[in-house]
Amino acid sequence: MVLTMATANIQTQMQTTSRARVGARASSSARLSPRTNSNSRSFFGSKVSGGRNSSAKTFTRCRRRKPVKPVAVIETPTVSQTAASYSRNVLAIILGGGAGSRLYPLTKKRAKPAVPIGGAYRLIDVPMSNCINSGINKMYCLTQFNSASLNRHMSQAYNSIVGGGPAGRGGFVEVLAAQQSPTNPEWFQGTADAVRQYLWLFQAAERDGIENYLILSGDHLYRMDYSDFVTKHVESGADITVSALPCDEKRASAFGLMKIDDTGRIFEFAEKPQGDALKAMMVDTTVLGLDDARAKEMPFIASMGIYVFKTSAMIDLLTKHFPEANDFGSEVIPGANAIGMNIQAFLFDGYWEDIGTIEAFYKSNLALCESGDKLKFSFYDHEFPIYTMSRFLPPSKMVDCEVKDSVIGDGCVIRHGSRVSNSVIGLRSLIGSNCVIEDALIMGSDYYETMEECELLPGCMPIGLGNGTVVRKCIIDKNARIGHNCQIINKDNVQEAMKEEEGYIIKDGIVVIIKDSIIPDGTII
């Protein structure tokens, strides 16, 4: 790179001293393409893009001048080059969470990161795509419950992108399930314990130049360039950097809050403080980059549960200082602060949502149906895309129906007379005639069913919604079979109900139809 830039600078100076009237755009072309010969044609200016003789005459005149003495040019890396260099030395560790009880029954047959979202994606696609878009291609996902579908999804969706493949990126994606061993006879006891149990494997990555661990959560919805995060961590000389979300007083009490000094160093933590304790956690968020007006609106910073650890700091904390600690947020990081480690805050001033509960998950999905200024997060971003598994499905087919403010996944069929509004319809969904779907999340199906397969079931009830069914404010998990003329509307406004034997539960007033359930004709919920 140094030689190329030196050659470019020498040729630029030669063109400047020549008597040839070469335009500024031609000079720019020469700088960008120092190896272009005189016979080539340029699109940047007629003075250079003429015929063979014209170009030869120009460069002959240059040679009559006194040669310019070559000058060594030392290239200073740009910010993007620096960030990319740092990202190559990062190992991402995505924490899949525990049993996912807050998202139950969506986690009854799958790990939490494998829960479908947005009609075509899974929760794990968000941190995975953020990593890929940030230049990080070495990733582990830790989980201990129902990891089969998660493993299948990740291997089919990502190994060709980050692995050897055509791009030759040399990365990897692996799911690490909890396991018992002579030294660790217990299952994962928390976020820190999960990392500790596989620390022997992560340390092996140091031989490949890994210098920092990026700790992520598998149940957040956001779009973030981690390279900026890692760059701040490296250049500040921090042992740990915590991604911080600015928030107002109304939201602050629901998070773990932090206080910082005028250098951005964290020196105090408080878990969901109230009253005077909450007010004591106010900070000057202009230190992290907010303008004065927004800093007054949002004088608190909350931990997002996203961290960068220097590898040596992680090993010391988990094996020497706090070998019994189970959680990063409440034990390890406050403990690191107590022993004097340098812990920095990194401001993330964008959309971020923890979707670890049924209510938050439901609202985040329906928010994807918004448009204009109301749309806070979108999957339609070609510069920073969210990746997922290629399924090669046909386009969706809508026959004489009405669809308003909704997201429709691939491979769906919506039949005549049906009305869909403010809803997310997932892959391979089959909606019968004259159905009404309002404020609903329908996850669709894992496969298309043949008539022979359907006839194996009593009554041959197909996957999808039967004719005349009304669905309102509910979540219908995959492969559910809803009969004709059903009403899933929570007609009694029940807030909590466990009806697993009947194929559904109600949480926060939201009806959730369990995966693979059968709801008979005429059922009213």
Side-chain angles (χ1 to χ4, degrees):
M1 180 63 72
V2 171
L3 290 176
T4 301
M5 293 300 294
T7 304
N9 275 272
I10 292 168
Q11 289 194 6
T12 302
Q13 294 179 50
M14 292 174 67
Q15 288 175 330
T16 301
T17 57
S18 94
R19 283 182 248 173
R21 299 176 57 85
V22 181
R25 297 173 70 186
S27 297
S28 174
S29 174
R31 285 196 299 270
L32 292 172
S33 305
R35 292 190 177 91
T36 302
N37 62 43
S38 59
N39 295 327
S40 64
R41 292 182 176 269
S42 168
F43 294 96
F44 292 95
S46 59
K47 295 293 184 180
V48 170
S49 61
R52 180 189 304 266
N53 294 333
S54 173
S55 294
K57 183 179 296 183
T58 299
F59 283 95
T60 300
R61 289 174 179 172
C62 288
R63 287 195 292 270
R64 290 175 183 170
R65 306 295 295 178
K66 183 178 179 180
V68 177
K69 183 179 180 180
V71 179
V73 178
I74 300 176
E75 185 181 76
T76 302
T78 63
V79 174
S80 59
Q81 290 172 327
T82 303
S85 175
Y86 293 153
S87 296
R88 287 193 293 270
N89 300 326
V90 173
L91 175 68
I93 302 170
I94 303 171
L95 303 175
S101 56
R102 296 188 302 162
L103 272 177
Y104 191 85
L106 302 180
T107 53
K108 182 177 182 179
K109 296 183 178 182
R110 59 170 76 90
K112 183 163 58 174
V115 173
I117 185 174
Y121 304 89
R122 295 179 185 256
L123 289 178
I124 190 64
D125 292 330
V126 174
M128 292 290 296
S129 299
N130 284 339
C131 284
I132 292 170
N133 292 327
S134 303
I136 299 169
N137 66 345
K138 298 176 179 65
M139 293 165 271
Y140 286 111
C141 180
L142 304 185
T143 184
Q144 62 180 332
F145 292 94
N146 299 328
S147 60
S149 64
L150 176 64
N151 203 350
R152 180 172 60 250
H153 175 79
M154 291 182 66
S155 62
Q156 293 177 359
Y158 296 108
N159 274 328
S160 60
I161 299 176
V162 304
R169 298 187 66 189
F172 58 83
V173 174
E174 292 185 23
V175 176
L176 301 177
Q179 60 184 7
Q180 293 177 314
S181 68
T183 56
N184 291 297
E186 304 292 335
W187 301 114
F188 296 156
Q189 301 301 306
T191 56
D193 184 63
V195 173
R196 183 188 294 110
Q197 291 196 30
Y198 273 105
L199 201 56
W200 60 271
L201 180 60
F202 305 148
Q203 285 181 268
E206 292 184 49
R207 294 193 297 267
D208 297 326
I210 296 301
E211 298 174 357
N212 296 286
Y213 297 135
L214 175 63
I215 308 298
L216 304 171
S217 177
D219 58 358
H220 296 165
L221 183 62
Y222 63 109
R223 182 178 274 107
M224 181 177 180
D225 188 345
Y226 298 138
S227 63
D228 297 333
F229 186 21
V230 174
T231 299
K232 165 66 183 301
H233 170 76
V234 174
E235 295 183 348
S236 66
D239 296 301
I240 307 169
T241 302
V242 181
S243 187
L245 188 75
C247 55
D248 55 22
E249 187 172 351
K250 182 178 180 181
R251 295 185 65 194
S253 59
F255 294 99
L257 302 183
M258 304 172 289
K259 290 192 76 172
I260 56 174
D261 61 19
D262 56 5
T263 67
R265 181 167 179 168
I266 302 171
F267 64 88
E268 187 177 343
F269 295 86
E271 186 66 25
K272 299 180 180 179
Q274 304 288 335
D276 292 339
L278 174 61
K279 293 180 179 180
M281 295 303 293
M282 294 177 65
V283 298
D284 179 11
T285 47
T286 60
V287 172
L288 298 178
L290 280 187
D291 58 54
D292 291 337
R294 284 181 50 76
K296 290 179 181 178
E297 295 175 6
M298 300 184 175
F300 300 92
I301 54 171
S303 171
M304 296 169 58
I306 300 174
Y307 319 108
V308 180
F309 281 78
K310 190 183 294 183
T311 55
S312 58
M314 174 76 83
I315 294 167
D316 288 344
L317 288 169
L318 295 185
T319 60
K320 297 178 181 179
H321 299 296
F322 308 103
E324 302 298 324
N326 292 327
D327 186 71
F328 281 121
S330 61
E331 297 175 88
V332 174
I333 295 178
N337 179 61
I339 64 175
M341 282 192 171
N342 182 5
I343 307 176
Q344 291 283 326
F346 173 81
L347 183 75
F348 175 73
D349 189 20
Y351 176 85
W352 175 86
E353 193 67 45
D354 182 349
I355 47 181
T357 67
I358 289 292
E359 182 179 24
F361 178 79
Y362 170 78
K363 289 181 177 179
S364 295
N365 272 276
L366 292 197
L368 299 172
C369 300
E370 299 285 359
S371 59
D373 294 338
K374 292 183 178 179
L375 182 63
K376 303 301 181 183
F377 182 88
S378 172
F379 287 101
Y380 301 91
D381 188 334
H382 70 281
E383 293 183 352
F384 213 91
I386 303 298
Y387 300 94
T388 191
M389 182 171 64
S390 298
R391 299 177 177 88
F392 309 107
L393 292 173
S396 290
K397 184 176 183 179
M398 288 160 272
V399 183
D400 192 21
C401 59
E402 180 181 335
V403 178
K404 180 182 178 182
D405 298 333
S406 297
V407 175
I408 312 296
D410 291 341
C412 300
V413 176
I414 305 177
R415 300 193 181 279
H416 66 274
S418 291
R419 292 185 289 114
V420 181
S421 65
N422 196 43
S423 298
V424 176
I425 310 298
L427 302 165
R428 307 183 189 87
S429 291
L430 303 179
I431 311 298
S433 303
N434 302 312
C435 292
V436 177
I437 302 171
E438 299 176 352
D439 304 325
L441 168 59
I442 300 177
M443 294 186 178
S445 174
D446 287 321
Y447 56 92
Y448 288 121
E449 187 176 47
T450 65
M451 184 58 66
E452 290 77 10
E453 291 171 328
C454 184
E455 289 174 349
L456 297 176
L457 297 173
C460 188
M461 184 181 296
I463 293 175
L465 271 64
N467 299 334
T469 288
V470 178
V471 171
R472 186 177 297 118
K473 195 182 179 182
C474 73
I475 300 173
I476 299 179
D477 206 341
K478 284 191 171 185
N479 309 333
R481 303 168 187 270
I482 314 295
H484 300 301
N485 302 310
C486 294
Q487 295 186 44
I488 305 175
I489 56 176
N490 193 9
K491 70 181 185 67
D492 296 325
N493 197 28
V494 177
Q495 294 302 302
E496 304 288 333
M498 294 296 292
K499 300 283 187 178
E500 281 196 67
E501 68 283 355
E502 298 178 31
Y504 71 94
I505 71 168
I506 301 176
K507 276 190 175 182
D508 301 314
I510 302 165
V511 179
V512 183
I513 305 298
I514 300 171
K515 184 178 181 181
D516 300 317
S517 293
I518 299 176
I519 307 298
D521 294 347
T523 299
I524 299 177
I525 299 176

